[in-house]
Amino acid sequence: MTKLLLADDHDLVREMIAEYLRVQGGFDVFVAESLESALKVQEKNVPFQLVMLDLMMPGMDSLSGLAVMKSRAGCPVAILSGTGTPEVARRALRSGAAGFLPKTLDPQSLVAAVHHMLLGETYTPLDFLESGDTEAEGKVHLTPRETDVLVGVLDGKSNKEIARDLDIQEVTVKLHLKTLSRKLGAKNRTQAAMIARDMGLT
């Protein structure tokens, strides 16, 4: 079975992507929460056929972590990002990444991208690269209550649990999620929380 290493410091996002790859692609997926732990997992479980590193997790130091993993892994290394701009994607590809994977990819596209890289090809998200740079992160302003709701989502809580914790109605939680998702350009609550975390908003 093809072995992949997925490193991301957000538990919910990491497990969601890993499960996509296991179920949709039939891959054997190992996980890590930082560059340091990824290097340890890589060392203990070689050989991997592909490594995927979250751009914003601890230890990455922008794209320096890519170079470190590339020097040790002996296989293609790709970058994952929830908020990287097209310019960041281009820099990653110029730095030798096997691909740049926006976390907005649907499961089928993600599996197809992985297969592409396993064949020795570079995965270039053309639609993403041609979309123009996203808004500067300083332009996204969340209210304190929207931030509270996002923190609840990041903690894996349901809308009902978040409403109880914040002493507000569940319908109000849904309204906040709808508003902040629009501000962040997110398709759902999980993606909204992931983008906000990557942008340092929570």
Side-chain angles (χ1 to χ4, degrees):
M1 187 182 285
T2 302
K3 281 168 59 176
L4 311 179
L5 172 55
L6 170 68
D8 190 303
D9 63 325
H10 186 268
D11 297 346
L12 184 66
V13 175
R14 183 178 64 245
E15 294 308 324
M16 183 176 68
I17 295 174
E19 193 61 17
Y20 279 166
L21 292 169
R22 290 177 185 127
V23 175
Q24 303 279 352
F27 300 115
D28 186 11
V29 185
F30 290 67
V31 295
E33 70 282 350
S34 67
L35 180 64
E36 183 182 0
S37 62
L39 290 167
K40 288 177 181 173
V41 171
Q42 187 273 327
E43 201 172 303
K44 284 170 60 178
N45 300 281
V46 290
F48 283 98
Q49 280 73 53
L50 177 68
V51 175
M52 290 167 283
L53 303 175
D54 174 47
L55 183 64
M56 301 295 288
M57 71 180 174
M60 280 299 284
D61 189 22
S62 187
L63 290 169
S64 299
L66 170 66
V68 173
M69 182 59 82
K70 275 174 61 66
S71 70
R72 307 232 198 134
C75 70
V77 180
I79 291 293
L80 278 163
S81 178
T83 56
T85 63
E87 178 51 35
V88 171
R90 287 188 282 269
R91 274 178 37 223
L93 295 169
R94 284 197 302 267
S95 298
F100 185 88
L101 304 168
K103 291 179 186 176
T104 50
L105 284 177
D106 61 77
Q108 290 77 18
S109 298
L110 179 62
V111 171
V114 168
H115 280 298
H116 191 73
M117 291 183 289
L118 288 170
L119 291 171
E121 304 290 335
T122 300
Y123 177 73
T124 307
L126 293 177
D127 289 351
F128 179 77
L129 291 175
E130 292 168 2
S131 66
D133 286 338
T134 54
E135 284 189 66
E137 46 188 75
K139 293 183 182 176
V140 178
H141 297 291
L142 301 181
T143 66
R145 185 56 90 196
E146 287 168 350
T147 303
D148 290 341
V149 169
L150 271 176
V151 169
V153 176
L154 281 165
D155 288 340
K157 294 177 180 176
S158 67
N159 289 352
K160 192 172 186 177
E161 290 171 319
I162 294 170
R164 188 183 63 227
D165 289 349
L166 299 178
D167 196 25
I168 58 178
Q169 297 294 317
E170 189 175 350
V171 67
T172 307
V173 173
K174 290 177 181 175
L175 190 62
H176 283 312
L177 283 169
K178 186 176 179 182
T179 304
L180 64 87
S181 292
R182 188 178 69 244
K183 288 181 181 180
L184 294 167
K187 296 174 184 174
N188 53 49
R189 68 202 299 276
T190 303
Q191 192 187 349
M194 175 179 67
I195 291 171
R197 189 284 313 249
D198 279 0
M199 293 176 78
L201 296 173
T202 57

